[in-house]
Amino acid sequence: MAFGRSSRKKRPVEPVTLKILVAGGFGAGKTTLVGAVSEIRPLRTEERLSEAGRPVDDVAGVETKTTTTVAMDFGRITLREDLVLYLFGTPGQDRFWFLWDELAQGALGAVVLADTRRLEDCFAAVDYFERRAIPFTVAVNCFEGAETFPVETVQAALDLDPEVPVVMCDARDRGSVRDVLVGVVEHAVDRAERVREPAVP
């Protein structure tokens, strides 16, 4: 019995899996971002803020926040049949930064989530990825009632290299977050290709 092309079974595609970090200051929306796009139930390691932590947890500007990530958030999103992203949300407070080196191993790139009400909280994440040469995109989470600024103003305030993308996003919106993640992958791939290009004599 002869089989035509139409009867051949397509081989299943083995997807490429990439690791993306989601970093930023305390209360910037990292847990919300991971949860907005994850196609699996996201792993969360949130604990309630306590009175004991008040001296070290600066809640100015995010007074309604009642929990904090103490280890990481984890989620997964399939961008294409052959491309899957694993998302690792980092803890935002100084006392949990010892976890960052573990989480950063093998990461293709990162999202630095920014809150314009507390933009200085991004400095540590920006510095971390710059020092380790991990490609990153700054995503400004547009909170209701927060003042909006031009991209150029955010770039200047964070002292970013011109090549670092800055985008506006809504960490609650799946489509908005997906666009940010696509941009991170594209930026990381473009940067890797530039590094591989031979120097012109």
mmCIF file of all heavy atoms in Angstrom, residues 127-165:
data_model
loop_
_atom_site.group_PDB
_atom_site.id
_atom_site.type_symbol
_atom_site.label_atom_id
_atom_site.label_comp_id
_atom_site.label_asym_id
_atom_site.label_seq_id
_atom_site.Cartn_x
_atom_site.Cartn_y
_atom_site.Cartn_z
ATOM 1 N N ASP A 127 22.719 46.903 37.679
ATOM 2 C CA ASP A 127 24.149 46.724 37.934
ATOM 3 C C ASP A 127 24.537 45.245 37.891
ATOM 4 O O ASP A 127 25.572 44.873 37.338
ATOM 5 C CB ASP A 127 24.506 47.328 39.296
ATOM 6 C CG ASP A 127 25.987 47.236 39.600
ATOM 7 O OD1 ASP A 127 26.787 47.772 38.804
ATOM 8 O OD2 ASP A 127 26.355 46.613 40.623
ATOM 9 N N TYR A 128 23.690 44.390 38.468
ATOM 10 C CA TYR A 128 23.964 42.947 38.509
ATOM 11 C C TYR A 128 24.109 42.383 37.101
ATOM 12 O O TYR A 128 25.079 41.679 36.790
ATOM 13 C CB TYR A 128 22.844 42.232 39.260
ATOM 14 C CG TYR A 128 23.059 40.748 39.415
ATOM 15 C CD1 TYR A 128 23.735 40.236 40.526
ATOM 16 C CD2 TYR A 128 22.597 39.845 38.456
ATOM 17 C CE1 TYR A 128 23.945 38.875 40.666
ATOM 18 C CE2 TYR A 128 22.817 38.484 38.589
ATOM 19 C CZ TYR A 128 23.479 37.995 39.704
ATOM 20 O OH TYR A 128 23.699 36.649 39.834
ATOM 21 N N PHE A 129 23.146 42.681 36.236
ATOM 22 C CA PHE A 129 23.180 42.111 34.885
ATOM 23 C C PHE A 129 24.273 42.737 34.025
ATOM 24 O O PHE A 129 24.870 42.062 33.180
ATOM 25 C CB PHE A 129 21.809 42.236 34.223
ATOM 26 C CG PHE A 129 20.743 41.459 34.932
ATOM 27 C CD1 PHE A 129 19.556 42.059 35.335
ATOM 28 C CD2 PHE A 129 20.929 40.118 35.225
ATOM 29 C CE1 PHE A 129 18.587 41.340 36.001
ATOM 30 C CE2 PHE A 129 19.963 39.384 35.898
ATOM 31 C CZ PHE A 129 18.792 39.997 36.288
ATOM 32 N N GLU A 130 24.551 44.013 34.234
ATOM 33 C CA GLU A 130 25.640 44.645 33.490
ATOM 34 C C GLU A 130 26.972 44.010 33.849
ATOM 35 O O GLU A 130 27.787 43.703 32.971
ATOM 36 C CB GLU A 130 25.676 46.149 33.782
ATOM 37 C CG GLU A 130 24.589 46.941 33.085
ATOM 38 C CD GLU A 130 24.656 48.426 33.389
ATOM 39 O OE1 GLU A 130 25.323 48.818 34.381
ATOM 40 O OE2 GLU A 130 24.036 49.199 32.644
ATOM 41 N N ARG A 131 27.217 43.799 35.139
ATOM 42 C CA ARG A 131 28.503 43.236 35.571
ATOM 43 C C ARG A 131 28.691 41.805 35.092
ATOM 44 O O ARG A 131 29.822 41.363 34.873
ATOM 45 C CB ARG A 131 28.622 43.306 37.097
ATOM 46 C CG ARG A 131 28.949 44.705 37.614
ATOM 47 C CD ARG A 131 29.267 44.729 39.093
ATOM 48 N NE ARG A 131 28.049 44.618 39.899
ATOM 49 C CZ ARG A 131 27.768 43.583 40.681
ATOM 50 N NH1 ARG A 131 28.577 42.558 40.749
ATOM 51 N NH2 ARG A 131 26.665 43.565 41.396
ATOM 52 N N ARG A 132 27.606 41.075 34.928
ATOM 53 C CA ARG A 132 27.699 39.674 34.491
ATOM 54 C C ARG A 132 27.442 39.511 32.998
ATOM 55 O O ARG A 132 27.362 38.394 32.506
ATOM 56 C CB ARG A 132 26.726 38.816 35.306
ATOM 57 C CG ARG A 132 27.242 38.615 36.729
ATOM 58 C CD ARG A 132 26.134 38.206 37.684
ATOM 59 N NE ARG A 132 26.671 38.016 39.020
ATOM 60 C CZ ARG A 132 26.957 39.005 39.850
ATOM 61 N NH1 ARG A 132 26.760 40.266 39.475
ATOM 62 N NH2 ARG A 132 27.440 38.767 41.068
ATOM 63 N N ALA A 133 27.313 40.619 32.282
ATOM 64 C CA ALA A 133 27.109 40.603 30.825
ATOM 65 C C ALA A 133 25.912 39.750 30.432
ATOM 66 O O ALA A 133 25.944 39.048 29.413
ATOM 67 C CB ALA A 133 28.377 40.126 30.118
ATOM 68 N N ILE A 134 24.831 39.811 31.223
ATOM 69 C CA ILE A 134 23.591 39.121 30.889
ATOM 70 C C ILE A 134 22.682 40.133 30.190
ATOM 71 O O ILE A 134 22.354 41.175 30.769
ATOM 72 C CB ILE A 134 22.900 38.564 32.152
ATOM 73 C CG1 ILE A 134 23.782 37.512 32.815
ATOM 74 C CG2 ILE A 134 21.529 37.966 31.804
ATOM 75 C CD1 ILE A 134 23.241 36.999 34.145
ATOM 76 N N PRO A 135 22.275 39.881 28.949
ATOM 77 C CA PRO A 135 21.403 40.832 28.238
ATOM 78 C C PRO A 135 20.089 41.030 29.000
ATOM 79 O O PRO A 135 19.509 40.064 29.499
ATOM 80 C CB PRO A 135 21.157 40.152 26.886
ATOM 81 C CG PRO A 135 22.230 39.133 26.748
ATOM 82 C CD PRO A 135 22.569 38.688 28.131
ATOM 83 N N PHE A 136 19.635 42.274 29.067
ATOM 84 C CA PHE A 136 18.380 42.539 29.775
ATOM 85 C C PHE A 136 17.610 43.663 29.105
ATOM 86 O O PHE A 136 18.164 44.493 28.385
ATOM 87 C CB PHE A 136 18.631 42.871 31.250
ATOM 88 C CG PHE A 136 19.361 44.170 31.489
ATOM 89 C CD1 PHE A 136 18.665 45.339 31.764
ATOM 90 C CD2 PHE A 136 20.748 44.222 31.433
ATOM 91 C CE1 PHE A 136 19.336 46.536 31.991
ATOM 92 C CE2 PHE A 136 21.433 45.409 31.651
ATOM 93 C CZ PHE A 136 20.725 46.569 31.931
ATOM 94 N N THR A 137 16.311 43.638 29.360
ATOM 95 C CA THR A 137 15.401 44.687 28.911
ATOM 96 C C THR A 137 14.753 45.302 30.138
ATOM 97 O O THR A 137 14.369 44.577 31.064
ATOM 98 C CB THR A 137 14.311 44.100 27.991
ATOM 99 O OG1 THR A 137 14.920 43.658 26.778
ATOM 100 C CG2 THR A 137 13.237 45.122 27.666
ATOM 101 N N VAL A 138 14.637 46.612 30.165
ATOM 102 C CA VAL A 138 13.914 47.281 31.245
ATOM 103 C C VAL A 138 12.453 47.437 30.825
ATOM 104 O O VAL A 138 12.163 48.020 29.775
ATOM 105 C CB VAL A 138 14.520 48.656 31.581
ATOM 106 C CG1 VAL A 138 13.650 49.400 32.593
ATOM 107 C CG2 VAL A 138 15.943 48.491 32.115
ATOM 108 N N ALA A 139 11.557 46.874 31.620
ATOM 109 C CA ALA A 139 10.119 46.978 31.353
ATOM 110 C C ALA A 139 9.493 47.834 32.449
ATOM 111 O O ALA A 139 9.521 47.462 33.626
ATOM 112 C CB ALA A 139 9.474 45.593 31.329
ATOM 113 N N VAL A 140 8.973 48.990 32.073
ATOM 114 C CA VAL A 140 8.355 49.894 33.043
ATOM 115 C C VAL A 140 6.913 49.451 33.248
ATOM 116 O O VAL A 140 6.095 49.478 32.330
ATOM 117 C CB VAL A 140 8.402 51.350 32.544
ATOM 118 C CG1 VAL A 140 7.708 52.282 33.553
ATOM 119 C CG2 VAL A 140 9.841 51.783 32.310
ATOM 120 N N ASN A 141 6.622 49.011 34.476
ATOM 121 C CA ASN A 141 5.271 48.552 34.815
ATOM 122 C C ASN A 141 4.393 49.776 35.049
ATOM 123 O O ASN A 141 4.635 50.557 35.970
ATOM 124 C CB ASN A 141 5.320 47.666 36.065
ATOM 125 C CG ASN A 141 4.024 46.919 36.292
ATOM 126 O OD1 ASN A 141 3.105 46.954 35.478
ATOM 127 N ND2 ASN A 141 3.939 46.230 37.422
ATOM 128 N N CYS A 142 3.403 49.966 34.212
ATOM 129 C CA CYS A 142 2.580 51.176 34.258
ATOM 130 C C CYS A 142 1.466 51.030 35.295
ATOM 131 O O CYS A 142 0.336 50.642 34.974
ATOM 132 C CB CYS A 142 2.000 51.469 32.876
ATOM 133 S SG CYS A 142 3.272 51.754 31.613
ATOM 134 N N PHE A 143 1.802 51.335 36.536
ATOM 135 C CA PHE A 143 0.826 51.271 37.615
ATOM 136 C C PHE A 143 -0.194 52.393 37.475
ATOM 137 O O PHE A 143 0.143 53.496 37.026
ATOM 138 C CB PHE A 143 1.511 51.408 38.982
ATOM 139 C CG PHE A 143 2.290 50.193 39.403
ATOM 140 C CD1 PHE A 143 3.648 50.084 39.126
ATOM 141 C CD2 PHE A 143 1.659 49.165 40.090
ATOM 142 C CE1 PHE A 143 4.361 48.980 39.529
ATOM 143 C CE2 PHE A 143 2.375 48.051 40.494
ATOM 144 C CZ PHE A 143 3.725 47.956 40.208
ATOM 145 N N GLU A 144 -1.429 52.108 37.858
ATOM 146 C CA GLU A 144 -2.463 53.148 37.831
ATOM 147 C C GLU A 144 -2.083 54.275 38.782
ATOM 148 O O GLU A 144 -1.709 54.042 39.928
ATOM 149 C CB GLU A 144 -3.809 52.548 38.241
ATOM 150 C CG GLU A 144 -4.387 51.593 37.212
ATOM 151 C CD GLU A 144 -5.726 51.020 37.652
ATOM 152 O OE1 GLU A 144 -6.334 51.623 38.561
ATOM 153 O OE2 GLU A 144 -6.142 49.999 37.100
ATOM 154 N N GLY A 145 -2.167 55.500 38.283
ATOM 155 C CA GLY A 145 -1.870 56.660 39.114
ATOM 156 C C GLY A 145 -0.406 57.046 39.145
ATOM 157 O O GLY A 145 -0.062 58.109 39.652
ATOM 158 N N ALA A 146 0.473 56.169 38.620
ATOM 159 C CA ALA A 146 1.903 56.495 38.603
ATOM 160 C C ALA A 146 2.212 57.421 37.438
ATOM 161 O O ALA A 146 1.621 57.306 36.366
ATOM 162 C CB ALA A 146 2.739 55.233 38.504
ATOM 163 N N GLU A 147 3.139 58.333 37.654
ATOM 164 C CA GLU A 147 3.522 59.261 36.591
ATOM 165 C C GLU A 147 4.255 58.512 35.488
ATOM 166 O O GLU A 147 5.061 57.619 35.757
ATOM 167 C CB GLU A 147 4.428 60.355 37.159
ATOM 168 C CG GLU A 147 4.699 61.495 36.185
ATOM 169 C CD GLU A 147 5.446 62.644 36.822
ATOM 170 O OE1 GLU A 147 5.694 62.591 38.048
ATOM 171 O OE2 GLU A 147 5.788 63.588 36.087
ATOM 172 N N THR A 148 3.956 58.850 34.242
ATOM 173 C CA THR A 148 4.641 58.221 33.113
ATOM 174 C C THR A 148 5.728 59.156 32.590
ATOM 175 O O THR A 148 5.575 60.379 32.608
ATOM 176 C CB THR A 148 3.653 57.896 31.973
ATOM 177 O OG1 THR A 148 2.983 59.099 31.567
ATOM 178 C CG2 THR A 148 2.624 56.862 32.421
ATOM 179 N N PHE A 149 6.805 58.547 32.130
ATOM 180 C CA PHE A 149 7.948 59.310 31.631
ATOM 181 C C PHE A 149 8.358 58.775 30.269
ATOM 182 O O PHE A 149 8.171 57.598 29.970
ATOM 183 C CB PHE A 149 9.133 59.189 32.591
ATOM 184 C CG PHE A 149 8.871 59.743 33.967
ATOM 185 C CD1 PHE A 149 8.408 58.916 34.978
ATOM 186 C CD2 PHE A 149 9.066 61.083 34.239
ATOM 187 C CE1 PHE A 149 8.161 59.412 36.241
ATOM 188 C CE2 PHE A 149 8.822 61.597 35.493
ATOM 189 C CZ PHE A 149 8.366 60.763 36.507
ATOM 190 N N PRO A 150 8.934 59.633 29.422
ATOM 191 C CA PRO A 150 9.447 59.153 28.132
ATOM 192 C C PRO A 150 10.550 58.119 28.333
ATOM 193 O O PRO A 150 11.240 58.124 29.369
ATOM 194 C CB PRO A 150 10.008 60.424 27.478
ATOM 195 C CG PRO A 150 9.365 61.563 28.196
ATOM 196 C CD PRO A 150 9.114 61.087 29.589
ATOM 197 N N VAL A 151 10.702 57.245 27.348
ATOM 198 C CA VAL A 151 11.737 56.209 27.411
ATOM 199 C C VAL A 151 13.111 56.830 27.658
ATOM 200 O O VAL A 151 13.907 56.321 28.457
ATOM 201 C CB VAL A 151 11.740 55.392 26.101
ATOM 202 C CG1 VAL A 151 13.012 54.561 25.970
ATOM 203 C CG2 VAL A 151 10.515 54.490 26.033
ATOM 204 N N GLU A 152 13.387 57.940 26.989
ATOM 205 C CA GLU A 152 14.701 58.584 27.128
ATOM 206 C C GLU A 152 14.961 59.010 28.567
ATOM 207 O O GLU A 152 16.100 58.950 29.053
ATOM 208 C CB GLU A 152 14.796 59.807 26.203
ATOM 209 C CG GLU A 152 14.747 59.488 24.715
ATOM 210 C CD GLU A 152 13.322 59.191 24.234
ATOM 211 O OE1 GLU A 152 12.347 59.504 24.959
ATOM 212 O OE2 GLU A 152 13.193 58.630 23.123
ATOM 213 N N THR A 153 13.913 59.436 29.268
ATOM 214 C CA THR A 153 14.066 59.856 30.659
ATOM 215 C C THR A 153 14.409 58.673 31.548
ATOM 216 O O THR A 153 15.266 58.770 32.439
ATOM 217 C CB THR A 153 12.767 60.532 31.155
ATOM 218 O OG1 THR A 153 12.473 61.651 30.321
ATOM 219 C CG2 THR A 153 12.893 60.986 32.597
ATOM 220 N N VAL A 154 13.750 57.543 31.314
ATOM 221 C CA VAL A 154 14.032 56.330 32.087
ATOM 222 C C VAL A 154 15.454 55.855 31.815
ATOM 223 O O VAL A 154 16.193 55.486 32.735
ATOM 224 C CB VAL A 154 13.015 55.214 31.762
ATOM 225 C CG1 VAL A 154 13.376 53.922 32.484
ATOM 226 C CG2 VAL A 154 11.602 55.657 32.131
ATOM 227 N N GLN A 155 15.859 55.875 30.536
ATOM 228 C CA GLN A 155 17.220 55.460 30.182
ATOM 229 C C GLN A 155 18.255 56.314 30.905
ATOM 230 O O GLN A 155 19.255 55.799 31.430
ATOM 231 C CB GLN A 155 17.425 55.569 28.667
ATOM 232 C CG GLN A 155 16.723 54.488 27.870
ATOM 233 C CD GLN A 155 16.841 54.703 26.380
ATOM 234 O OE1 GLN A 155 16.801 55.847 25.906
ATOM 235 N NE2 GLN A 155 16.966 53.626 25.624
ATOM 236 N N ALA A 156 18.024 57.629 30.926
ATOM 237 C CA ALA A 156 18.969 58.534 31.581
ATOM 238 C C ALA A 156 18.977 58.327 33.089
ATOM 239 O O ALA A 156 20.040 58.318 33.720
ATOM 240 C CB ALA A 156 18.611 59.983 31.242
ATOM 241 N N ALA A 157 17.788 58.153 33.684
ATOM 242 C CA ALA A 157 17.696 57.988 35.131
ATOM 243 C C ALA A 157 18.407 56.723 35.608
ATOM 244 O O ALA A 157 18.979 56.693 36.702
ATOM 245 C CB ALA A 157 16.232 57.952 35.556
ATOM 246 N N LEU A 158 18.360 55.664 34.792
ATOM 247 C CA LEU A 158 19.010 54.401 35.147
ATOM 248 C C LEU A 158 20.421 54.291 34.588
ATOM 249 O O LEU A 158 21.092 53.275 34.801
ATOM 250 C CB LEU A 158 18.166 53.215 34.657
ATOM 251 C CG LEU A 158 16.793 53.052 35.326
ATOM 252 C CD1 LEU A 158 16.028 51.900 34.687
ATOM 253 C CD2 LEU A 158 16.942 52.819 36.825
ATOM 254 N N ASP A 159 20.862 55.335 33.856
ATOM 255 C CA ASP A 159 22.207 55.360 33.269
ATOM 256 C C ASP A 159 22.457 54.115 32.424
ATOM 257 O O ASP A 159 23.484 53.438 32.566
ATOM 258 C CB ASP A 159 23.262 55.487 34.374
ATOM 259 C CG ASP A 159 24.641 55.848 33.811
ATOM 260 O OD1 ASP A 159 24.694 56.435 32.709
ATOM 261 O OD2 ASP A 159 25.652 55.527 34.462
ATOM 262 N N LEU A 160 21.515 53.817 31.535
ATOM 263 C CA LEU A 160 21.593 52.616 30.714
ATOM 264 C C LEU A 160 22.440 52.843 29.468
ATOM 265 O O LEU A 160 22.483 53.945 28.923
ATOM 266 C CB LEU A 160 20.189 52.180 30.279
ATOM 267 C CG LEU A 160 19.199 51.825 31.377
ATOM 268 C CD1 LEU A 160 17.828 51.561 30.772
ATOM 269 C CD2 LEU A 160 19.673 50.619 32.169
ATOM 270 N N ASP A 161 23.090 51.772 29.011
ATOM 271 C CA ASP A 161 23.743 51.821 27.713
ATOM 272 C C ASP A 161 22.674 51.998 26.639
ATOM 273 O O ASP A 161 21.548 51.491 26.792
ATOM 274 C CB ASP A 161 24.515 50.523 27.451
ATOM 275 C CG ASP A 161 25.753 50.396 28.337
ATOM 276 O OD1 ASP A 161 26.252 51.440 28.789
ATOM 277 O OD2 ASP A 161 26.187 49.252 28.585
ATOM 278 N N PRO A 162 23.007 52.686 25.543
ATOM 279 C CA PRO A 162 22.000 52.937 24.492
ATOM 280 C C PRO A 162 21.375 51.672 23.925
ATOM 281 O O PRO A 162 20.239 51.698 23.454
ATOM 282 C CB PRO A 162 22.803 53.684 23.418
ATOM 283 C CG PRO A 162 23.956 54.283 24.148
ATOM 284 C CD PRO A 162 24.293 53.336 25.252
ATOM 285 N N GLU A 163 22.095 50.545 23.963
ATOM 286 C CA GLU A 163 21.581 49.309 23.366
ATOM 287 C C GLU A 163 20.531 48.603 24.237
ATOM 288 O O GLU A 163 19.844 47.704 23.773
ATOM 289 C CB GLU A 163 22.713 48.333 23.076
ATOM 290 C CG GLU A 163 23.331 47.734 24.331
ATOM 291 C CD GLU A 163 24.169 46.496 24.041
ATOM 292 O OE1 GLU A 163 24.600 46.317 22.891
ATOM 293 O OE2 GLU A 163 24.385 45.712 24.978
ATOM 294 N N VAL A 164 20.398 49.020 25.498
ATOM 295 C CA VAL A 164 19.454 48.347 26.400
ATOM 296 C C VAL A 164 18.029 48.823 26.090
ATOM 297 O O VAL A 164 17.723 50.004 26.229
ATOM 298 C CB VAL A 164 19.785 48.630 27.880
ATOM 299 C CG1 VAL A 164 18.735 47.990 28.792
ATOM 300 C CG2 VAL A 164 21.169 48.107 28.225
ATOM 301 N N PRO A 165 17.147 47.907 25.685
ATOM 302 C CA PRO A 165 15.770 48.315 25.372
ATOM 303 C C PRO A 165 15.003 48.730 26.631
ATOM 304 O O PRO A 165 15.174 48.141 27.698
ATOM 305 C CB PRO A 165 15.148 47.051 24.760
ATOM 306 C CG PRO A 165 16.289 46.159 24.407
ATOM 307 C CD PRO A 165 17.370 46.483 25.398
#
